[in-house]
Amino acid sequence: MTTILLAFFASYLISVTHAQFLCDYTGAPGPVFLDVTETATVGEVVGSLTVAGNDNQIILEQVAKNSLVKFVPESREIVLISNLPEWVDHFFAASTDPLNRDQVPRIEVDIRCTDKSLASKISTIQVKIDVNDVNNKTPYFVNTPYHTNISELTPIGYTVFENIEAKDDDYSFPNNFVFFVIEDGPFSDYVEISNQYQGRIILRKHLDFRHITSFYVTIVAKDSGSPALFARENITVDIIDEDNLNPVFINSPYSAQILYSTKPETEIETLPGPVEAKDQDQGILSSINYSIEYGNRP
């Protein structure tokens, strides 16, 4: 009698255990979370499900077709079937909320598990796949080309240009975090960036139109990903000449001989040549007016 009861009890436990555990999965009762990089190749295994029961005991199948991934019941793996970068771009382009740029694109797929011994026992396993950002988007400048005019009398520290802007279409920090630097060049010592995270350029060296009438510097927009990606753009600065220099005489000093018999209004020849002056402000070249300021008699 005892043997019969023990056998019945053991059979009951096996039956209960079977009913309770088939189709259970790691992570139950919540969703299964997986990760994949946006540059993953087609055919790559995103992850696999650990579900109680073998193929003779349970049926696993994907509930609805998904254009990005598919579930393979034989291996219980979720496989990538489409390239992700285009889908990621569309994901953000379709959103009207700019704050969605801070979201992680997610693929969702449901897997149905049916207990063969108890067809009414059907459970759904929710699988959520986060598509992780890869630093594969190069920063780019907007509102180019950059050009400005400044006076040669502009003081050091004055803002030369403040509308430099660059964007990065990666969707996560630090891949989309852009900063600016000035690339070394023949004129890079004339300006500096006041804040590397803002496109504001200030003057750091005095200007003189006589020595420089225009110059350019190369701005580099670099993201903070690894490895960092960057873009270059020139900003051209034209110098405005100011009327801040006196005229100068050419070939001075001058000398002349005037005979006692020279009549009034007679043109006097000077040496080493005619009296001539020029404006040192080459960007203005004002006309020169002459007058005799003072003189003396022998």
Side-chain angles (χ1 to χ4, degrees), residues 15-294:
S15 176
V16 170
T17 301
H18 172 88
Q20 284 181 336
F21 287 97
L22 286 182
C23 286
D24 282 357
Y25 60 94
T26 301
V32 175
F33 290 96
L34 301 173
D35 294 278
V36 64
T37 62
E38 63 171 324
T39 55
T41 57
V42 172
E44 184 172 322
V45 176
V46 177
S48 57
L49 300 182
T50 303
V51 185
N54 57 42
D55 293 344
N56 296 322
Q57 297 172 310
I58 60 175
I59 300 172
L60 289 170
E61 57 189 339
Q62 188 170 326
V63 174
K65 185 178 179 180
N66 189 289
S67 62
L68 300 173
V69 295
K70 72 173 181 179
F71 177 70
V72 182
E74 294 79 12
S75 62
R76 303 188 181 184
E77 294 174 333
I78 296 176
V79 179
L80 188 66
I81 60 173
S82 180
N83 289 317
L84 294 176
E86 290 185 7
W87 176 79
V88 170
D89 290 342
H90 178 74
F91 174 87
F92 289 112
S95 174
T96 57
D97 185 357
L99 294 179
N100 281 350
R101 293 296 306 181
D102 297 327
Q103 293 183 354
V104 176
R106 175 173 286 176
I107 304 168
E108 296 188 359
V109 60
D110 291 337
I111 309 300
R112 180 167 50 233
C113 182
T114 303
D115 185 341
K116 288 184 176 181
S117 66
L118 190 62
S120 62
K121 184 185 178 184
I122 300 174
S123 59
T124 300
I125 305 171
Q126 292 182 318
V127 181
K128 300 180 184 293
I129 306 167
D130 287 340
V131 181
N132 294 327
D133 186 28
V134 173
N135 191 34
N136 61 339
K137 302 290 177 61
T138 301
Y140 58 93
F141 288 90
V142 297
N143 302 321
T144 58
Y146 297 135
H147 178 272
T148 188
N149 302 310
I150 62 172
S151 167
E152 65 172 329
L153 302 181
T154 301
I156 290 177
Y158 188 84
T159 298
V160 174
F161 201 89
E162 59 182 350
N163 295 319
I164 292 177
E165 183 181 358
K167 295 183 178 180
D168 190 308
D169 288 337
D170 285 306
Y171 56 87
S172 69
F173 178 88
N175 295 339
N176 60 0
F177 192 67
V178 177
F179 62 95
F180 301 98
V181 295
I182 295 178
E183 191 172 67
D184 288 340
F187 307 106
S188 58
D189 57 337
Y190 276 91
V191 294
E192 64 182 346
I193 294 178
S194 62
N195 185 323
Q196 65 176 343
Y197 304 114
Q198 299 175 354
R200 181 171 176 262
I201 297 177
I202 63 174
L203 190 67
R204 66 187 294 255
K205 185 177 179 180
H206 287 298
L207 301 172
D208 189 335
F209 190 85
R210 293 174 299 177
H211 302 139
I212 182 170
T213 59
S214 179
F215 69 90
Y216 74 90
V217 292
T218 301
I219 310 299
V220 179
K222 185 180 295 186
D223 66 29
S224 302
S226 179
L229 302 177
F230 59 89
R232 293 183 176 91
E233 185 67 34
N234 291 339
I235 172 172
T236 301
V237 181
D238 288 334
I239 313 302
I240 301 172
D241 191 17
E242 300 289 356
D243 191 10
N244 63 326
L245 297 173
N246 292 322
V248 293
F249 283 98
I250 302 172
N251 298 324
S252 63
Y254 303 102
S255 64
Q257 288 185 340
I258 304 176
L259 299 177
Y260 184 78
S261 59
T262 301
K263 296 179 180 181
E265 305 299 328
T266 299
E267 184 174 336
I268 301 171
E269 183 179 354
T270 58
L271 295 175
V275 175
E276 184 181 1
K278 67 176 182 179
D279 188 356
Q280 293 188 88
D281 296 304
Q282 295 297 309
I284 300 175
L285 293 178
S286 298
S287 59
I288 306 297
N289 297 315
Y290 300 89
S291 63
I292 298 176
E293 194 171 75
Y294 65 88

